[in-house]
């Protein structure tokens, strides 16, 4: 990011106001919710930590920009890196205007997805490969789509070569795709073991996402059954009945998880899990667990 632009950012805020955090903490003290939450997180961690025989690739996309797909991809990659022991890769397959490096706090970028397609070779070790990647916390790595250049392109052939070559090095790969119906996004969705469709919790967001899910019902069965909708809150008080909207989307055969509105996520910038609201952390962990479970069902 340009230094002058970086200077315009305010200090990162917590996902929920102080009064709400205090109120939630008091309720936890006088109820059994804390114990239930710990038990659920333990259960979620057990799902995510399951071993894999071949790397799982998870594609994240959306119908339009501003739906929160990059945020969802960053949350998923961060969750897998936190819970798993094997290396985790995040790939930016949205090079034109992708913001995944910004979301992940990458300070500098060198090699891109298109570059690596011509570099990686079968005899390379993990150490060789990671030398071309951006290192992130918790044994995670980033492969950016561009170096911030507007109009950077990624062709299908380069994407396929990179994904096939890197699969054996990483237990889980999360791909931040272009929005549909871009060609690379369609290829990524088809090749991935699980898919996440990010949708804003708005009337137009739910309507367009429902139309896409209906279209997916005409594809091979594994496409819709291996898809999870991440319904992201865009405001503290949404303009729709989120529970009813989620149920309508589930009627297509896709799973649905709701990510509540979070001030830290809404502000943009680098994702800091310590600043996320507790409900957001729990919802992201649940989402990561179900997506990983679905990815295990397809070889």
């Amino acid at each position: 990011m340009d230094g002058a632009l970086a200077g315009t950012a305010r200090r990162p805020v917590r996902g929920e106001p102080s009064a709400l955090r205090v109120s939630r903490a008091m309720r936890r003290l006088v109820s059994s919710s804390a114990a239930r939450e710990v038990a659920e997180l333990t259960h979620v961690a057990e799902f995510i930590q399951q071993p894999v025989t071949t790397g799982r690739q998870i594609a994240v996309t959306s119908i339009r920009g501003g739906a929160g797909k990059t945020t969802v991809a960053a949350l998923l990659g961060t969750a897998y890196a936190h819970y798993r022991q094997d290396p985790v890769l995040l790939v930016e397959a949205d090079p034109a205007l992708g913001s995944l490096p910004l979301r992940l706090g990458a300070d500098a970028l060198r090699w891109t997805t298109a570059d690596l397609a011509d570099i990686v070779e079968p005899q390379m070790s993990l150490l060789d490969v990671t030398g071309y990647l951006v290192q992130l916390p918790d044994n995670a790595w980033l492969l950016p789509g561009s170096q911030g250049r507007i109009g950077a392109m990624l062709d299908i052939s380069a994407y396929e070569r990179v994904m096939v070559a890197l699969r054996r090095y990483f237990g889980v790969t999360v791909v931040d795709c272009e929005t549909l119906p871009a060609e690379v996004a369609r290829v990524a969705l088809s090749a991935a073991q699980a898919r996440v469709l990010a949708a804003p919790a708005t009337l137009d967001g739910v309507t367009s996402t429902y139309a896409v899910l209906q279209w997916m019902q005409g594809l091979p069965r594994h496409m819709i059954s291996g898809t999870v909708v991440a319904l992201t809150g865009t405001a503290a008080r949404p303009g729709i009945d989120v529970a009813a909207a989620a149920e309508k989307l589930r009627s297509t055969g896709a799973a649905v998880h709701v990510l509540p509105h979070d001030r830290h996520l809404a502000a943009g910038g680098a994702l800091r899990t310590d600043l996320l609201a507790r409900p957001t952390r729990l919802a992201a962990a649940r989402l990561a667990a179900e997506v990983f479970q679905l990815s295990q069902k397809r070889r």
Side-chain angles (χ1 to χ4, degrees):
M1 177 183 288
D2 181 274
L5 289 176
T8 65
R10 295 182 184 274
R11 181 179 178 181
V13 297
R14 290 190 175 273
E16 55 188 357
S18 300
L20 185 55
R21 294 201 308 274
V22 172
S23 174
R24 193 186 305 281
M26 293 299 294
R27 290 198 302 271
R28 284 160 53 84
L29 285 175
V30 297
S31 70
S32 59
S33 62
R36 288 198 304 270
E37 184 178 305
V38 170
E40 182 175 3
L41 282 174
T42 301
H43 189 56
V44 162
E46 290 173 353
F47 276 124
I48 296 177
Q49 291 167 353
Q50 292 179 50
V52 295
T53 53
T54 56
R56 304 289 87 188
Q57 294 181 352
I58 296 165
V60 183
T61 189
S62 62
I63 309 306
R64 58 179 174 79
K69 72 174 179 63
T70 298
T71 298
V72 170
L75 285 171
L76 287 175
T78 301
Y80 295 133
H82 175 73
Y83 287 110
R84 296 188 62 81
Q85 296 299 313
D86 48 8
V88 171
L89 177 64
L90 291 100
V91 175
E92 184 181 46
D94 185 6
L97 286 173
S99 58
L100 188 60
L102 175 63
R103 267 308 202 191
L104 296 172
D107 294 327
L109 306 175
R110 290 191 304 157
W111 306 98
T112 68
T113 308
D115 295 331
L116 206 59
D118 299 322
I119 294 174
V120 66
E121 297 178 354
Q123 70 271 21
M124 285 179 141
S125 67
L126 174 62
L127 185 61
D128 293 330
V129 169
T130 55
Y132 295 99
L133 306 176
V134 179
Q135 187 168 10
L136 303 170
D138 290 328
N139 206 26
W141 304 86
L142 166 67
L143 178 58
S146 73
Q147 295 174 324
R149 297 188 302 270
I150 300 297
M153 299 298 293
L154 174 62
D155 61 62
I156 294 174
S157 175
Y159 174 80
E160 290 178 329
R161 293 203 310 275
V162 165
M163 297 306 290
V164 170
L166 295 183
R167 183 174 178 179
R168 68 187 182 92
Y169 297 101
F170 300 92
V172 180
T173 298
V174 178
V175 185
D176 179 21
C177 301
E178 296 173 295
T179 56
L180 290 170
E183 282 188 304
V184 173
R186 295 202 304 270
V187 169
L189 290 178
S190 177
Q193 283 76 46
R195 290 150 290 282
V196 179
L197 197 57
T202 60
L203 183 58
D204 60 328
V206 170
T207 300
S208 57
T209 301
Y210 182 69
V212 169
L213 293 175
Q214 287 182 306
W215 166 72
M216 292 178 69
Q217 286 178 313
L219 302 176
R221 175 62 188 168
H222 72 270
M223 289 294 290
I224 192 75
S225 63
T227 297
V228 180
V229 176
L231 197 55
T232 58
T234 58
R237 292 179 61 85
I240 62 170
D241 184 334
V242 176
E247 197 58 36
K248 182 65 174 177
L249 295 175
R250 289 190 187 99
S251 70
T252 63
V256 180
H257 280 262
V258 177
L259 291 174
H261 175 70
D262 187 288
R263 297 192 311 170
H264 176 60
L265 292 180
L271 171 66
R272 284 182 49 182
T273 54
D274 61 309
L275 294 181
L276 292 175
R278 188 179 298 274
T280 306
R281 289 199 300 270
L282 186 56
R286 289 173 182 150
L287 172 65
E290 175 147 13
V291 173
F292 182 74
Q293 281 293 97
L294 291 177
S295 76
Q296 288 280 62
K297 295 179 180 179
R298 181 157 180 84
R299 299 302 172 186

